[in-house]
Amino acid sequence: MAQANTKPNNTQCLVAGGIAGIAVDTALFPLDTIKTRLQAKGGFMASGGFRGIYSGLSSAIIGSSPGAALFFLTYEQTKAACERRVEPKYQAFGHMAAASAGEVAACLVRVPTEVLKQRLQANHHRSLGAAIRGTYRAEGLLGFYRGYLTQVVREIPFTCIQFPVYEFLKHSYATKHGRGIKSWEAAVCGSVAGGAAAAFTTPLDVVKTRVMLSTKGVGAHHEYSGVVSTLTRIAREEGARALFSGVVPRTIWISVGGFVFLGSYEKAKEILVDGRIFAHRLHPPVLWAQREDIVYLTIDLHDAKDAEINLKDESISFKNTTDGNEYAFHLDFYKPIKPNEGKKSATGRKVLLILDKAEGEWWPRLTKDSQKPNFLKTDFDHWKDSDDSEDEAPGFPGMDFSQMGGMGGMGGMDGMGGMPGLEGLGAMGGMGALGGLGGAGGAMGNFGADDEPSDDEGDEAQHNDAGSKIEDADAKPSID
């Protein structure tokens, strides 16, 4: 099955990432053990050879799930933010930033488990409990984060190669075949990207291994600390070739690991998103305004260009999946509209609908129901035409202001009619300023045929309309 064109929510990222972390560490742990023993200072046979190649598996499993979950949560959210703000031709830098942020977060969990795992793999301790006690006695809590900076320094170059290449391969393959990429195809892309990144960053991995295997004041490993000093010391004492110790098993391990890790993640994500597992149903913020013959609706939701919109004479239904969550609402209009004459404009950040009223008259509210939905707010950007003066704006006979930003208290002015000299207030002439509502702000396509102006153009048009923004446009979605 091809991947859905939707993005996972936070819970789905955590669950899919956790599944992927357990899958890859369990399947490929023996190769990781061989690679670690090849990179140890004492050599492969002195560090245990092929004996006990599953030593440290428990530590790896404990850390793999939360570490991978944190990585993908940070990666997906940062990537989504970059995609909304960065031009397509610069998306590779967005993927680098997202992957780097993910690694910094993941290493908070990954490094302590990596320290324990590698000390067990190198036979420094006989059991996980002994490794925890020995590390704490020798170095305290900071001992569990020994090599954190080294790990981050190693992982960021690796991930800055792997994930831009991975995303590029996925996008190119999907574009070439004109469809969404399948999970096993994404796994192949992950394998190629991971293998290339592994080969280029092997020297940093050797440094990380030497630093993590060091125990303060114990044995022959105490001298290793710091990335640059360890690099230069290995090159000076053992030759530059030692910096590529274990490059073959590392490249094979990460190529296969990329297939399992990213393939498992994409498949788990596909199942969770398509099956709406851990999904939330939300209402998007909806802003409305009107003129005598037009209703404006702005749906403040990103990635909604392909939203399902069902427009009828007396109602509108909206449905879209954004960031793994389903956003939907249904509204019954106060009076009929002309659905076939409506216009729609969609950008990456919002959807604007301009609907013609069946009868040219002012509505006291948008909905047939006098109770305003909590996700419906007033759109002051379209409240008055920029070319309408306040003196020319029409009045609003019988207007119910309960849906227009809490202005209903004006009704109390009727009691002033008996005051001498105030009879002119009966007409409420000052309310005329509320009359003309802003124009469309630009030519709009017919409903169903999206115009897709840039976000900058859309925002500029919004600001050029009369009226100041209110905080309603930033209202948080409400959970149904």
Side-chain angles (χ1 to χ4, degrees), residues 1 8 34 65 96 101 140 181 190 193 211 215 222 250 284 364 371 385 390 412-413 417 458 462:
M1 180 183 292
I34 293 172
S65 181
M96 289 182 185
I181 191 169
V211 171
T215 302
H222 70 278
R250 170 175 162 81
Q371 181 66 38
D385 276 338
E390 294 183 358
M413 295 293 290
Q462 297 282 348

Side-chain angles (χ1 to χ4, degrees), residues 82 138-139 141 161 165 172 229 274 287 289 291 363 387 423:
C82 290
E139 302 173 81
L141 288 176
I161 297 171
V165 173
S172 299
S229 63
D274 289 352
L287 310 177
R291 294 173 60 185
W363 293 356
D387 59 349
E423 57 272 8

